[in-house]
Amino acid sequence: MRTRPSIGMKLTGWYAVCMAGALCMLGALAFFSMKHSIHATVDEQLQDRMNAVRQAVENSLRKGDVETLRSELDEDSELRPQTDLLQVWDDQRRLIYQSASLKSKGLPPPVAGVRAGTLWMGKVPVRVLQGTVALNGHPYYIQVAAPMDEFYEALERFLGRLLIFAPLALLLASALGYWISRKALAPVDQITQAAQQISAQNLSARLAVPRSGDELQRLTETLNQMLQRIEEALDRITRFSGDASHELRTPITVMRTRVELALRHPRTPGENQDTLEQLHSELIQASNLLDNLMLLARADSGAEQLRIAPANIEDALHEVLAQAAPLAGEKGVALHSALPGHAVWIAADRSMLQRLFLILIDNAVKYTPASGRVSVELTTMNGSATVSVKDTGIGIPEDELPRIFDRFYRVDKARTRQAGGAGLGLSIGRWIAEAHGGSIRVESRSGEGAKFEVVLPVA
Ligand code: ADP
């Protein structure tokens, strides 16, 4: 697999690109503003010279005295023999004056509409300023110029240094950037190494939290919280599979003992029939248990899909009550119902809801002694339907209430095992209620009966 660059390398790369861009912009800005200010300074000096020449041209040519002008300008020019570049043209673009320093090579004739420009005289760059004087209806053109070679050499030197020092600065800044990013990301490497050491065998280990108050502290705290949740989930799964195998072992051991006893001695057909009936009842119990375990496992993995459709819960409750009536009758428990007498529609998986109602009614009958009473009620209010199952049975001690919805939890292990419960009914019930967007709650006291209430949103 191709190794990808680390975050440190990527950060440094981006930093170097930005830095290079900034340096280029800064260099170009410095170079052009330097050039611009040189031109501005030279233009200012040329403008002063232009004003003086214009004055002289006006004074002399108004009188038509070209010779005086020439000698005046020559005198002036002698004061700056190398640098005074000056030409005066008449309206026919004939040269009427040219300073001595321009004798070998003159400036090109004036171009209309141009005030300033830079041109090359041989190998020397010159800055030229052009002006017009109108006298007696005739325009005269003045050109003053200054050699720029020294300025441009200075500019070139500046550019040369920029091209050496800017890459050096870039290299230094990138190295520094890399060092800083390595230093900033070093704790991430430590966290990675520590996290690699944690496996299912030492899931209780936690990462050391740096007290830096920054993203790294939040990251380690979040990872630790995640580890906590994984540890709890793994604990739940381990406990669940332990409890499940324990619950399954009991009916299988009972069946095995019965079969072994039956095989050991010759038996009458009547005795064999008894054994088969006992085996049948154990098998039903084991298969119910397996059913419940499978449902919970599918619910946990999200594989259990509800078949939601419009369901009339009034009708669903009627069916469940009819199913539970023989059991209640057998036990001598009176089963009462208070249903609204009209359809109550909700979006639900009808068979799942019936399973939930049956769990509650079955429990109520199971934990209510003979001549007790179980009442089932359905009410609707504020967009929700409430099904309550109330009994006058043995009740649940208050301190046990928070745990009765836990898997495999039974208040009295010995008693309920006899009655056939594995402690999964209420946890399945709660899952069904919550999967429908509803909730389940219980009110009870030891010896004072119990009341379970399921609240479901109405479609
Ligand atoms: P089980 O299959 O053992 O009934 P449940 O999950 O349905 O398991 O119930 C958990 C425990 O809650 C039961 O073992 C019982 O102790 C208690 N319980 C449930 N319903 C009632 C009730 N109506 N009256 C008294 N105790 C109840």
Side-chain angles (χ1 to χ4, degrees):
M1 204 179 75
R2 201 162 62 93
T3 48
R4 293 184 165 265
S6 65
I7 293 183
M9 287 300 280
K10 281 190 210 162
L11 277 179
T12 313
W14 281 111
Y15 175 64
V17 168
C18 296
M19 189 78 185
L23 280 173
C24 282
M25 265 160 56
L26 210 71
L29 194 76
F31 179 81
F32 287 110
S33 54
M34 202 167 155
K35 194 171 173 179
H36 180 263
S37 88
I38 288 172
H39 281 169
T41 314
V42 171
D43 286 359
E44 216 172 283
Q45 286 167 1
L46 288 176
Q47 189 60 52
D48 287 348
R49 178 79 181 117
M50 167 77 75
N51 293 344
V53 175
R54 182 177 276 143
Q55 195 66 50
V57 169
E58 275 177 1
N59 290 345
S60 308
L61 294 188
R62 185 165 290 130
K63 295 179 253 163
D65 190 354
V66 178
E67 280 319 309
T68 315
L69 173 69
R70 282 188 185 134
S71 62
E72 217 175 282
L73 292 178
D74 272 343
E75 255 172 54
D76 245 15
S77 232
E78 273 160 25
L79 296 174
R80 28 189 171 225
Q82 292 308 314
T83 53
D84 193 41
L85 312 178
L86 169 66
Q87 287 182 162
V88 182
W89 306 72
D90 68 7
D91 56 346
Q92 304 297 312
R93 283 189 164 69
R94 282 177 307 217
L95 205 53
I96 50 174
Y97 177 77
Q98 187 171 49
S99 59
S101 45
L102 279 175
K103 289 283 188 297
S104 57
K105 192 165 176 42
L107 297 167
V111 183
V114 176
R115 188 187 158 265
T118 308
L119 49 88
W120 289 83
M121 274 176 53
K123 286 184 177 162
V124 182
V126 285
R127 182 82 182 155
V128 183
L129 210 67
Q130 195 176 284
T132 333
V133 187
L135 283 175
N136 310 324
H138 299 286
Y140 291 87
Y141 302 98
I142 305 166
Q143 289 175 316
V144 284
M148 300 294 283
D149 45 350
E150 280 177 22
F151 295 123
Y152 282 6
E153 272 163 28
L155 262 181
E156 261 169 44
R157 273 198 303 280
F158 173 69
L159 188 66
R161 277 178 203 159
L162 209 62
L163 290 177
I164 294 172
F165 287 112
L168 271 180
L170 180 64
L171 213 69
L172 204 75
S174 304
L176 204 70
Y178 183 66
W179 180 74
I180 292 173
S181 69
R182 291 289 316 145
K183 208 167 142 56
L185 291 170
V188 176
D189 280 344
Q190 284 162 14
I191 294 169
T192 311
Q193 276 163 20
Q196 277 167 353
Q197 305 301 316
I198 299 175
S199 66
Q201 274 66 47
N202 64 341
L203 210 56
S204 53
R206 293 290 176 268
L207 303 170
V209 179
R211 296 280 153 220
S212 48
D214 56 13
E215 290 89 341
L216 288 174
Q217 180 173 347
R218 284 197 293 282
L219 173 71
T220 27
E221 281 169 354
T222 309
L223 283 174
N224 279 344
Q225 285 158 8
M226 191 181 78
L227 282 172
Q228 179 76 28
R229 287 197 297 273
I230 294 175
E231 190 188 4
E232 283 167 10
L234 199 74
D235 271 358
R236 267 202 307 275
I237 294 167
T238 315
R239 222 176 316 124
F240 181 67
S241 44
D243 286 346
S245 16
H246 177 79
E247 288 298 328
L248 276 172
R249 213 179 58 189
T250 315
I252 288 173
T253 312
V254 172
M255 285 189 274
R256 187 178 159 179
T257 317
R258 289 197 200 290
V259 173
E260 280 171 358
L261 274 176
L263 290 175
R264 212 170 288 160
H265 307 288
R267 316 187 78 190
T268 63
E271 283 171 332
N272 280 338
Q273 179 69 24
D274 276 356
T275 307
L276 280 176
E277 274 166 17
Q278 284 161 351
L279 284 180
H280 184 232
S281 124
E282 289 290 343
L283 274 171
I284 288 176
Q285 203 181 320
S287 110
N288 285 343
L289 178 62
L290 264 178
D291 244 23
N292 288 343
L293 287 175
M294 299 265 293
L295 175 72
L296 284 171
R298 282 200 308 269
D300 282 349
S301 68
E304 183 63 39
Q305 296 288 325
L306 295 181
R307 279 180 287 275
I308 301 285
N312 175 1
I313 39 172
E314 210 252 358
D315 186 50
L317 268 172
H318 268 303
E319 270 180 33
V320 176
L321 283 163
Q323 239 176 299
L327 192 76
E330 231 172 72
K331 234 192 131 179
V333 171
L335 187 56
H336 288 270
S337 63
L339 305 183
H342 58 76
V344 176
W345 292 96
I346 70 166
D349 183 327
R350 183 183 164 114
S351 64
M352 279 291 179
L353 278 192
Q354 284 186 315
R355 189 168 181 163
L356 159 63
F357 300 147
L358 192 62
I359 289 169
L360 298 182
I361 298 172
D362 190 50
N363 274 351
V365 172
K366 218 160 44 175
Y367 300 111
T368 301
S371 76
R373 176 189 167 99
V374 172
S375 331
V376 179
E377 198 183 355
L378 168 62
T379 51
T380 52
M381 202 172 61
N382 298 336
S384 60
T386 304
V387 176
S388 75
V389 178
K390 197 171 155 199
D391 64 61
T392 57
I394 58 169
I396 304 161
E398 255 174 303
D399 53 333
E400 304 270 359
L401 285 177
R403 304 186 58 194
I404 56 162
F405 292 99
D406 291 354
R407 291 171 187 191
F408 297 106
Y409 191 78
R410 296 182 295 224
V411 174
D412 177 346
K413 313 256 181 274
R415 185 191 70 214
T416 42
R417 170 85 202 114
Q418 233 177 8
L424 290 179
L426 287 180
S427 49
I428 291 176
R430 182 169 65 176
W431 176 78
I432 295 174
E434 287 174 357
H436 281 87
S439 61
I440 184 165
R441 58 174 181 254
V442 57
E443 279 169 33
S444 182
R445 276 214 204 130
S446 192
E448 291 182 22
K451 181 181 176 191
F452 284 86
E453 254 182 6
V454 179
V455 182
L456 296 163
V458 174

